[in-house]
Amino acid sequence: EEEESQPPPGEEEGVKLTASSRHDEQLREEPLSPPMRYDEWDYLIGRERPAWCTLLEKPAEEGNAHDIADILDRNEDLVNRVKVLVKAVQIQRPVRLRRRLDGDRLDLDACINATIDLRTGVPPDPRVHAILGRQQRDLSVLVLLDLSQSTNDKVTNADTTVLNLAREATVLLADAMARIGDSFAIHGFSSNGRHDVGYYRFKDFERPYGDLAKARLAGMTGQLSTRMGTALRHAGGYLKD
């Protein structure tokens, strides 16, 4: 008798294996942070409440990554325009260029070395100036999305919701920055009261903008309430890093 062929582990009927590329992306990601407490300004009483809100990072639900490709296909002309606009932003890190014959300031180390040379009878190096130059593009962006229930509202005079519009705008920006090579992250938040401020990381800095990030963008939904201050404080920590 012939034995019935058994499916490989994890491929039983009704079970789908995660694509290896997406699984590899998940393994490379930073783990979710532990619960964090943040102060909050209470505008009603006019004072700050210390450690008032608890933020919980939560796994982002995944949708169909092909939905993101559809957004790009529908907005092909706009994609190119956004890319040109982002690339035109000349934000560069200032770098002090030392040991110059001319400059707008003195290079302190070079001056000290020149003084030592003079006192020891050695001809000093005349390059004792410094200038501020810009050597590389230095742009990082964190997009923080409000994912509260109100984003499910329809946009006035448009057959779409606030959430869908925010998703499309984010996809266009992310595609442009990924093509240029700038560093960016996409996070979102919603709140179920001050003890449960949910924070979702769709894409982190230095992580690939691949199928996993796109599936998370496709799967994001609007729910619960808004608690912007706590989410902004948490996002600020990622920008500092």
Side-chain angles (χ1 to χ4, degrees), residues 59-74:
E61 296 292 333
E62 296 181 28
N64 190 344
H66 293 297
D67 293 344
I68 305 304
D70 292 340
I71 292 174
L72 296 175
D73 291 340
R74 292 197 309 268

Side-chain angles (χ1 to χ4, degrees), residues 152-169:
N152 294 321
D153 294 345
K154 285 292 186 70
V155 178
T156 304
N157 299 325
D159 187 24
T160 188
T161 64
V162 174
L163 179 66
N164 286 336
L165 196 61
R167 188 194 337 259
E168 291 197 7

Side-chain angles (χ1 to χ4, degrees), residues 28-29 42 45 51 68 72 90-92 95-96 120 139 145-146 148 153 175 187-188 211 215:
R28 291 197 301 268
E29 286 199 320
D42 191 328
I45 62 175
I68 305 304
L72 296 175
Q90 298 298 320
I91 300 179
Q92 298 172 314
V95 178
R96 179 167 293 184
T120 56
L139 175 65
L145 298 166
D146 178 359
S148 61
D153 294 345
D175 182 77
H187 297 172
D211 288 343

